[in-house]
Amino acid sequence: MPNDAKTPMRSFRISDDLYRAALEKARSEGRSLSEVIRMALDAYIEEDRPR
């Protein structure tokens, strides 16, 4: 879903240290930071979904 024009832009606050560390790890894994954040949010909300 990279650069999908149909996906609205969102914004949030994050410390510089956390942003840099997350960006570095994402790049080392060949991922975008947006992809990592989407995956993390999916996992977060999945905790409450009925099985």
Side-chain angles (χ1 to χ4, degrees):
M1 181 172 21
N3 298 322
D4 186 347
K6 296 176 185 171
T7 304
M9 293 286 291
R10 308 290 187 207
S11 64
F12 58 93
R13 295 182 185 274
I14 185 172
S15 72
D16 288 340
D17 290 341
L18 181 56
Y19 175 80
R20 282 191 291 269
L23 183 60
E24 183 178 317
K25 182 171 181 175
R27 285 180 175 167
S28 76
E29 296 174 345
R31 303 178 190 270
S32 70
L33 190 51
S34 290
E35 179 183 4
V36 170
I37 292 168
R38 283 191 299 272
M39 290 171 32
L41 288 173
D42 279 338
Y44 178 69
I45 62 171
E46 187 64 33
E47 294 173 1
D48 293 336
R49 289 187 180 152
R51 296 176 193 244

